Amino acid sequence: MHDEFLCHVTAYGVCDGRRIGVPLGTYRAPTLALALWWLRDRASWIAERLDPDPEAGHLPPSALVPVADTVPDVPQLLRAWCADPGQQELCADELAAGRLVRIAASDETTEYELLAESVDALRMQRTGPALVMPVA
Protein backbone atom coordinates (compact mmCIF):
# COMPACT_ATOMS: atom_id res chain seq x y z
CA MET A 1 0.00 0.00 0.00
CA HIS A 2 1.26 3.43 -0.92
CA ASP A 3 1.13 5.91 1.94
CA GLU A 4 1.54 9.38 0.41
CA PHE A 5 0.13 10.88 -2.77
CA LEU A 6 1.04 13.94 -4.81
CA CYS A 7 -1.97 15.63 -6.40
CA HIS A 8 -2.07 18.44 -8.98
CA VAL A 9 -4.75 20.36 -10.82
CA THR A 10 -3.87 22.34 -13.95
CA ALA A 11 -5.76 24.24 -16.64
CA TYR A 12 -4.33 24.12 -20.18
CA GLY A 13 -5.08 26.51 -23.00
CA VAL A 14 -3.53 27.99 -26.10
CA CYS A 15 -1.80 31.37 -25.96
CA ASP A 16 0.03 32.83 -28.94
CA GLY A 17 -0.22 29.48 -30.71
CA ARG A 18 1.39 27.54 -27.84
CA ARG A 19 -0.23 25.23 -25.33
CA ILE A 20 0.36 26.52 -21.80
CA GLY A 21 -0.53 25.16 -18.41
CA VAL A 22 -1.67 27.20 -15.45
CA PRO A 23 -1.26 25.40 -12.11
CA LEU A 24 -4.43 25.65 -10.02
CA GLY A 25 -3.21 23.74 -6.99
CA THR A 26 -1.00 21.04 -5.55
CA TYR A 27 -1.49 18.88 -2.48
CA ARG A 28 0.68 16.24 -0.88
CA ALA A 29 -1.89 13.93 0.68
CA PRO A 30 -0.77 11.85 3.66
CA THR A 31 -3.41 9.18 2.94
CA LEU A 32 -5.29 7.70 0.00
CA ALA A 33 -8.60 8.94 1.43
CA LEU A 34 -7.31 12.51 1.60
CA ALA A 35 -5.95 12.32 -1.95
CA LEU A 36 -9.36 11.26 -3.25
CA TRP A 37 -11.10 13.89 -1.15
CA TRP A 38 -8.79 16.61 -2.53
CA LEU A 39 -9.37 15.53 -6.14
CA ARG A 40 -13.15 15.63 -5.63
CA ASP A 41 -12.90 18.98 -3.83
CA ARG A 42 -10.86 20.53 -6.64
CA ALA A 43 -13.16 19.09 -9.33
CA SER A 44 -16.14 20.62 -7.49
CA TRP A 45 -14.23 23.90 -7.06
CA ILE A 46 -13.61 24.11 -10.82
CA ALA A 47 -17.23 23.20 -11.60
CA GLU A 48 -18.57 25.87 -9.23
CA ARG A 49 -16.38 28.56 -10.78
CA LEU A 50 -17.30 27.61 -14.34
CA ASP A 51 -21.00 27.19 -13.55
CA PRO A 52 -21.99 29.07 -10.38
CA ASP A 53 -25.45 28.94 -8.87
CA PRO A 54 -27.49 31.69 -10.58
CA GLU A 55 -29.13 32.45 -7.22
CA ALA A 56 -25.79 33.23 -5.56
CA GLY A 57 -25.92 36.62 -3.88
CA HIS A 58 -22.53 37.77 -5.15
CA LEU A 59 -23.57 37.73 -8.82
CA PRO A 60 -25.26 40.76 -10.40
CA PRO A 61 -28.57 40.17 -12.17
CA SER A 62 -28.20 38.78 -15.71
CA ALA A 63 -24.48 38.10 -15.19
CA LEU A 64 -24.92 34.49 -16.27
CA VAL A 65 -26.28 33.40 -19.61
CA PRO A 66 -26.90 29.89 -20.93
CA VAL A 67 -24.47 28.47 -23.46
CA ALA A 68 -25.38 26.51 -26.57
CA ASP A 69 -26.18 22.81 -26.21
CA THR A 70 -23.19 22.07 -28.44
CA VAL A 71 -20.71 23.44 -25.87
CA PRO A 72 -19.09 20.67 -23.78
CA ASP A 73 -20.40 20.86 -20.21
CA VAL A 74 -17.19 20.59 -18.18
CA PRO A 75 -18.89 21.44 -14.86
CA GLN A 76 -21.48 18.70 -15.34
CA LEU A 77 -18.79 16.18 -16.29
CA LEU A 78 -16.70 17.02 -13.23
CA ARG A 79 -19.73 16.90 -10.92
CA ALA A 80 -20.73 13.53 -12.37
CA TRP A 81 -17.21 12.17 -11.80
CA CYS A 82 -17.32 13.35 -8.18
CA ALA A 83 -20.66 11.65 -7.60
CA ASP A 84 -19.76 8.30 -9.20
CA PRO A 85 -18.73 5.73 -6.55
CA GLY A 86 -17.43 3.40 -9.25
CA GLN A 87 -15.04 6.03 -10.57
CA GLN A 88 -13.88 6.82 -7.04
CA GLU A 89 -13.20 3.14 -6.35
CA LEU A 90 -11.32 2.77 -9.64
CA CYS A 91 -9.15 5.78 -8.77
CA ALA A 92 -8.50 4.40 -5.29
CA ASP A 93 -7.50 1.01 -6.69
CA GLU A 94 -5.15 2.52 -9.26
CA LEU A 95 -3.51 4.86 -6.75
CA ALA A 96 -3.16 2.07 -4.19
CA ALA A 97 -1.42 0.01 -6.88
CA GLY A 98 1.07 2.84 -7.45
CA ARG A 99 -0.27 4.00 -10.81
CA LEU A 100 -0.80 7.56 -12.00
CA VAL A 101 -4.43 8.70 -12.24
CA ARG A 102 -5.45 11.47 -14.64
CA ILE A 103 -8.95 12.95 -14.77
CA ALA A 104 -9.47 15.39 -17.63
CA ALA A 105 -12.36 17.37 -19.10
CA SER A 106 -12.23 20.06 -21.76
CA ASP A 107 -14.29 22.57 -23.66
CA GLU A 108 -13.40 24.61 -26.75
CA THR A 109 -10.76 26.71 -25.00
CA THR A 110 -9.48 24.89 -21.92
CA GLU A 111 -8.56 21.43 -20.66
CA TYR A 112 -8.84 20.85 -16.92
CA GLU A 113 -6.57 18.11 -15.61
CA LEU A 114 -6.46 16.50 -12.18
CA LEU A 115 -3.49 14.21 -11.51
CA ALA A 116 -2.57 12.05 -8.57
CA GLU A 117 0.19 9.54 -7.99
CA SER A 118 1.93 7.78 -5.19
CA VAL A 119 5.00 9.49 -3.79
CA ASP A 120 6.53 6.00 -3.51
CA ALA A 121 5.85 5.39 -7.20
CA LEU A 122 7.63 8.63 -8.05
CA ARG A 123 10.69 7.21 -6.34
CA MET A 124 10.52 3.89 -8.16
CA GLN A 125 10.74 3.00 -11.83
CA ARG A 126 7.19 2.54 -13.15
CA THR A 127 6.72 -0.07 -15.82
CA GLY A 128 2.92 0.02 -16.16
CA PRO A 129 0.94 2.58 -18.14
CA ALA A 130 -0.98 5.39 -16.44
CA LEU A 131 -4.71 5.19 -16.01
CA VAL A 132 -6.23 7.93 -18.15
CA MET A 133 -9.90 8.59 -17.52
CA PRO A 134 -11.37 11.18 -19.86
CA VAL A 135 -14.74 12.32 -18.58
CA ALA A 136 -15.87 13.79 -21.86
Side-chain angles (χ1 to χ4, degrees), residues 45-131:
W45 179 82
I46 291 168
E48 181 57 31
R49 271 127 194 96
L50 293 175
D51 184 23
D53 180 0
E55 303 301 317
H58 67 281
L59 297 171
S62 304
L64 301 176
V65 295
V67 296
D69 290 337
T70 57
V71 174
D73 193 346
V74 170
Q76 188 277 329
L77 293 169
L78 292 173
R79 288 177 177 127
W81 176 81
C82 289
D84 186 335
Q87 290 293 316
Q88 303 306 309
E89 187 173 333
L90 178 58
C91 283
D93 291 346
E94 292 297 312
L95 286 170
R99 289 187 282 277
L100 172 72
V101 170
R102 178 179 184 261
I103 299 101
S106 57
D107 56 26
E108 287 104 353
T109 62
T110 309
E111 177 184 44
Y112 301 91
E113 175 185 76
L114 296 102
L115 291 175
E117 62 187 321
S118 162
V119 172
D120 293 335
L122 289 168
R123 294 180 182 128
M124 300 181 293
Q125 286 275 336
R126 283 193 298 269
T127 58
L131 172 67

Side-chain angles (χ1 to χ4, degrees), residues 9-50:
V9 64
T10 307
Y12 293 95
V14 176
C15 180
D16 198 24
R18 295 183 307 158
R19 180 176 158 93
I20 61 162
V22 177
L24 300 177
T26 298
Y27 176 57
R28 189 169 180 145
T31 67
L32 176 59
L34 285 173
L36 292 170
W37 170 84
W38 191 83
L39 291 173
R40 285 190 306 273
D41 181 69
R42 294 295 85 195
S44 296
W45 179 82
I46 291 168
E48 181 57 31
R49 271 127 194 96
L50 293 175

